[in-house]
Amino acid sequence: MSKEEALRRIEKAKETGATELDLSEMNIDELPPELFQLTSLKELNLSGNELNQLPAEITQLTNLTKLDLRRNQLHELPAEISHLTNLTRLYLGNNKLTELPVEITQLKNLTELYLSGNQ
């Protein structure tokens, strides 16, 4: 899979007003800016990619309830993650995280947090 395929899926989700988007296993190393326009998304799967950072723009996806970032190369999360106040499930397993931002404690709706396989 490729960035072109990711962009195609993002465009289709935009056209249909999708609430779920699967961009897993696409070998992308950065998130396309077009993704942040999908404000109706509730579930976003980014697992199995090459992401080494999560841009602060992710906070534009305010309706997200599930964010899957397993099996990437993330070393840290932006403090702005706390703006995703609707998150109930956050999957961060198998990354390179050594700590979480203290702001993560502001995610009051979070009921599932997976961190296995990190530093």
Side-chain angles (χ1 to χ4, degrees), residues 14-64:
K14 186 176 179 182
E15 290 171 3
T16 63
T19 60
E20 297 179 17
L21 181 60
D22 185 354
L23 296 178
S24 63
E25 310 290 336
M26 304 205 96
N27 296 318
I28 52 177
D29 58 3
E30 64 182 19
L31 297 178
E34 294 86 350
L35 175 64
F36 309 121
Q37 298 171 7
L38 302 178
T39 55
S40 61
L41 283 183
K42 291 181 185 273
E43 297 188 8
L44 178 58
N45 186 345
L46 295 167
S47 64
N49 282 297
E50 302 293 325
L51 301 172
N52 58 29
Q53 67 177 359
L54 190 63
E57 289 85 2
I58 194 82
T59 60
Q60 294 174 31
L61 304 178
T62 56
N63 288 313
L64 280 183

Side-chain angles (χ1 to χ4, degrees), residues 2 9-10 14 35 42 45 59 62 69 76 78 100 103 109-110:
S2 65
R9 289 185 187 184
I10 290 168
K14 186 176 179 182
L35 175 64
K42 291 181 185 273
N45 186 345
T59 60
T62 56
L69 292 162
E76 64 182 2
L100 295 175
E103 291 83 359
N109 292 314
L110 200 61

Side-chain angles (χ1 to χ4, degrees), residues 74-77 95-101 115 117-119:
L74 297 174
H75 291 274
E76 64 182 2
L77 290 179
N95 276 285
K96 298 182 181 215
L97 299 169
T98 56
E99 64 182 353
L100 295 175
L115 296 167
N118 279 287
Q119 309 287 325

Side-chain angles (χ1 to χ4, degrees), residues 50-97:
E50 302 293 325
L51 301 172
N52 58 29
Q53 67 177 359
L54 190 63
E57 289 85 2
I58 194 82
T59 60
Q60 294 174 31
L61 304 178
T62 56
N63 288 313
L64 280 183
T65 59
K66 177 184 175 186
L67 179 57
D68 190 341
L69 292 162
R70 293 172 296 146
R71 299 183 329 274
N72 275 284
Q73 305 293 320
L74 297 174
H75 291 274
E76 64 182 2
L77 290 179
E80 292 85 359
I81 193 98
S82 65
H83 295 254
L84 296 176
T85 56
N86 289 315
L87 272 185
T88 59
R89 295 174 287 169
L90 180 57
Y91 301 101
L92 297 168
N94 299 97
N95 276 285
K96 298 182 181 215
L97 299 169

